[in-house]
Amino acid sequence: MGEKRKELGEGINDIKMSDNDFDIMLDYMKDMKGQARTKTIHEAQEKIPPEPTDVDNDIFDAEAALNAVPVSSSGAAEQQETNQQEDQESDTPVIKRARAIVRVLIVD
């Protein structure tokens, strides 16, 4: 009996959902509380690849890093936002949906 349940649950991640249905699901998820909310956030975050950092590079070029810094601090924030948007545009549908779930469930 346990094997049968496992077989039925194996395809859960393969279920296709329209964008409209996904948006409706996000509205329902806003009200999640407790462990359900925590576990959902954790699982969504696991699907999102980590953001690359300078620490990830084998060789750190301090001069190049200094040249890349804009003169104004607001320019740095804008550049970072632009880089994140470019990364998100190339995301797979699964990653895009995971980001949406995290945005809905993590309230600043």
Side-chain angles (χ1 to χ4, degrees):
M1 185 74 170
E3 290 178 33
K4 186 69 170 177
R5 287 181 186 214
K6 184 177 179 183
E7 289 173 16
L8 291 173
E10 285 178 354
I12 280 201
N13 292 327
D14 299 330
I15 295 173
K16 305 284 187 239
M17 182 182 291
S18 72
D19 289 339
N20 185 48
D21 289 344
F22 183 75
D23 290 340
I24 292 169
M25 183 190 73
L26 286 176
D27 285 337
Y28 280 101
M29 292 178 91
K30 289 177 186 177
D31 295 329
M32 290 176 76
K33 305 253 188 265
Q35 278 191 324
R37 185 182 195 99
T38 303
K39 185 174 180 181
T40 302
I41 291 170
H42 179 72
E43 288 180 9
Q45 287 175 328
E46 285 181 341
K47 296 193 182 303
I48 301 171
E51 300 293 329
T53 64
D54 289 334
V55 177
D56 295 335
N57 296 332
D58 290 337
I59 300 172
F60 177 73
D61 186 349
E63 186 174 339
L66 287 173
N67 290 333
V69 176
V71 177
S72 71
S73 61
S74 64
E78 291 172 8
Q79 181 63 37
Q80 183 178 9
E81 186 175 317
T82 301
N83 290 344
Q84 288 176 342
Q85 287 173 347
E86 288 172 358
D87 289 344
Q88 291 176 6
E89 287 173 4
S90 63
D91 284 348
T92 65
V94 170
I95 295 172
K96 287 180 181 181
R97 286 186 171 186
R99 287 186 195 280
I101 290 169
V102 170
R103 270 194 308 275
V104 164
L105 295 180
I106 297 179
V107 181
D108 294 314

